[in-house]
């Protein structure tokens, strides 16, 4: 009898300790400081209410800082974070290195098959998903319908770069702080180089030929950077080399950009109540140069769990909640269907309530479906990725090249010097990487 009582007490003690451990589980989330992610943080009280055993700790960072912090942490197995906000660039590379937890075992009602195929494929490695998309995006053209009408211009659904340049010059009114076009200028592999790589693809350029020789000494890259720098200096906003996605979003919402080419994820933010031009925004596909490739891309900000996390099961509960259909419904109930995270699920684009509320929905879906990261360029290449090159070295190369192109945009160096620098640094990094292999 005494043994049974002792055993029962021991079992009760273990259960109590286990319950206490669960109650004290803290999931630390590293995320980017954009509108969708900040909204997720604001709504996360609903998750904590449903899971009182889990406490969420948020680390919200600017995009370039986030990338540096999470890359350093996961590469050094620092274990600071339980949930990482990463993208389609990192997911397959980090999965191949064994750094991420597979997410193919989420609950059945998560409905992973509902995720748009291009988005799911971009977050997978060898058929297994290692990150789940919070929102997906491509790139498209946003423009002021009132300014176009006043100027007697009509935006085609599939604009060319020649039309964009002509329209931007015609619509610019710098004296009244209306700039013909706003484009990314802030240096970084995910900032100006995301846009410029996509633009270069449409101009027939590529980072490397099939032998991994850099191609910045070719005419296609020169035409790309020349058109970009000349257009931005002529009709773009001042200090454009400091402007990334967030800065251009603020300019456009304030009515200071006639045309903005950037992420489809901007759709909800240029049409919501905080936008001064909400009722005067049109959408078209990203421009092309008539060579069969447009300046669009494919990206997802996604949630992943590092292998070094000590709270994997709790982290899985959170990422499943934050990227679920139920979360979309929560956002819709609080802020309307037009504000739900876009670009992830088929069912969203089959929902009449969303299609009615989101004037950007149709073009967003068309842009994502048109993206082909396996064939991103006019001429063949040995890499995948549309606005990036899917190799580990690209973070350092892309940022180095982005700094040179930002210097050309600001007038600090000539375009030819920037291209020469890009050719040299890219060649050196790739040569060293191939030697080490």
């Amino acid at each position: 009898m005494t043994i049974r009582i002792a055993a029962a007490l021991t079992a009760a003690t273990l259960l109590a300790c286990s319950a206490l451990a669960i109650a004290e589980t803290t999931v630390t989330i590293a995320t980017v400081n954009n509108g969708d992610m900040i909204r997720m943080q604001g709504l996360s009280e609903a998750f904590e209410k449903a899971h009182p055993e889990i406490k969420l700790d948020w680390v919200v960072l600017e995009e370039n800082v986030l990338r540096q912090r999470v890359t350093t942490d996961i590469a050094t197995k620092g274990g600071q974070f339980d949930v990482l906000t990463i993208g389609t660039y990192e997911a397959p590379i980090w999965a191949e290195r064994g750094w991420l937890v597979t997410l193919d075992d989420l609950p059945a009602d998560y409905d992973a098959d509902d995720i748009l195929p291009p988005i799911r494929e971009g977050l997978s490695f060898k058929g297994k998903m290692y990150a789940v998309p919070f929102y997906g995006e491509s790139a498209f053209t946003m423009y002021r319908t009132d300014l176009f009408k006043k100027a007697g211009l009509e935006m085609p659904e599939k604009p060319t770069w020649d039309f964009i340049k002509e329209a931007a010059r015609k619509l610019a009114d710098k004296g009244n702080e209306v700039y013909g076009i706003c484009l990314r200028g802030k240096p970084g592999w995910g900032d100006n180089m995301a846009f410029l790589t996509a633009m270069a693809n449409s101009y027939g350029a590529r980072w490397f030929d099939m032998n991994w020789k850099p191609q910045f000494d070719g005419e296609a890259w020169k035409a790309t950077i020349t058109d970009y720098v000349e257009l931005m200096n002529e009709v773009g906003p001042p200090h454009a080399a400091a402007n990334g996605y967030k800065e251009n979003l603020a300019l456009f919402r304030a009515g200071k950009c006639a045309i903005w080419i950037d992420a489809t994820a901007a759709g909800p933010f240029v049409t919501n109540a905080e936008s001064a031009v909400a009722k005067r925004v049109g959408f078209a596909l990203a421009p092309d140069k008539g060579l069969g490739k447009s300046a669009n891309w494919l990206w997802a900000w996604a949630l992943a769990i590092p292998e070094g996390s000590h709270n994997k099961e709790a982290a899985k509960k959170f990422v499943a909640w934050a990227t679920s259909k139920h979360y979309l419904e929560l956002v819709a109930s609080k802020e309307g269907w037009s504000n739900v995270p876009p670009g992830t699920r088929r069912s969203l684009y089959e929902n009449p309530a969303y299609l009615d509320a989101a004037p950007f929905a149709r073009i967003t879906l068309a842009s994502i479906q048109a993206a082909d990261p396996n064939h991103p360029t006019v001429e063949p290449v040995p890499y995948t990725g549309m606005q990036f090159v899917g190799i580990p070295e690209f973070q350092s190369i892309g940022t180095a090249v982005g700094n040179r192109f930002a210097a050309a945009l600001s007038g600090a160096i000539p375009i030819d010097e920037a291209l020469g620098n890009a050719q040299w640094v890219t060649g050196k990094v790739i040569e060293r990487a191939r030697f080490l292999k």
Side-chain angles (χ1 to χ4, degrees), residues 44-236:
S44 64
E45 182 180 339
F47 173 82
E48 290 182 307
K49 189 175 290 186
H51 300 278
E53 77 278 11
I54 299 172
K55 179 180 179 296
L56 302 179
D57 181 31
W58 295 83
V59 179
V60 182
L61 303 165
E62 189 272 332
E63 184 172 324
N64 285 338
V65 177
L66 172 78
R67 287 186 164 123
Q68 292 167 3
R69 286 277 301 275
V70 299
T71 300
T72 300
D73 187 62
I74 200 165
T76 60
K77 300 180 180 178
Q80 292 183 52
F81 309 115
D82 300 298
V83 176
L84 309 174
T85 304
I86 64 172
T88 47
Y89 167 72
E90 296 97 344
I93 293 173
W94 292 2
E96 183 177 14
R97 293 180 171 184
W99 290 353
L100 299 176
V101 174
T102 181
L103 295 175
D104 275 356
D105 58 349
L106 297 180
D109 67 350
Y110 181 78
D111 193 8
D113 291 337
D114 186 46
I115 297 172
L116 292 167
I119 298 296
R120 182 171 180 173
E121 183 181 340
L123 299 173
S124 299
F125 176 68
K126 291 187 175 180
K128 290 187 176 182
M129 197 159 51
Y130 284 86
V132 285
F134 185 74
Y135 70 77
E137 68 178 44
S138 185
F140 62 5
T141 303
M142 294 160 277
Y143 64 96
R144 288 273 302 279
T145 55
D146 56 328
L147 297 181
F148 268 70
K149 184 177 181 179
K150 184 178 179 182
L153 293 171
E154 186 173 343
M155 175 70 80
E157 184 169 301
K158 297 180 178 180
T160 64
W161 277 110
D162 288 341
F163 175 83
I164 292 292
K165 290 185 289 183
E166 178 187 348
R169 289 184 169 111
K170 191 170 183 178
L171 295 169
D173 184 5
K174 284 192 171 184
N176 289 308
E177 292 188 289
V178 176
Y179 307 106
I181 195 165
C182 294
L183 302 171
R184 297 188 189 191
K186 181 187 289 185
W189 71 267
D191 264 308
N192 65 340
M193 289 315 300
F195 172 78
L196 285 171
T197 300
M199 181 179 178
N201 291 343
S202 70
Y203 271 61
R206 50 187 177 163
W207 273 77
F208 301 98
D209 67 12
M210 291 299 289
N211 295 313
W212 290 99
K213 179 185 175 184
Q215 298 294 291
F216 291 99
D217 56 356
E219 288 302 313
W221 266 109
K222 184 168 184 177
T224 301
I225 303 304
T226 299
D227 280 0
Y228 166 76
V229 169
E230 289 181 354
L231 188 63
M232 289 292 283
N233 283 329
E234 189 177 335
V235 297

Side-chain angles (χ1 to χ4, degrees), residues 241-305:
N243 293 345
Y245 169 83
K246 286 188 64 181
E247 292 79 11
N248 284 326
L249 173 61
L251 286 170
F252 191 90
R253 289 181 8 148
K256 296 186 177 184
C257 304
I259 300 170
W260 180 31
I261 302 163
D262 211 296
T264 57
F269 299 100
V270 298
T271 56
N272 66 15
E274 286 74 42
S275 174
V277 296
K279 304 297 184 183
R280 295 172 282 156
V281 184
F283 303 92
L285 296 171
D288 67 59
K289 195 72 172 166
L291 301 175
K293 297 291 179 183
S294 67
N296 68 328
W297 62 63
L298 185 70
W299 183 257
W301 275 120
L303 303 180
I305 302 170

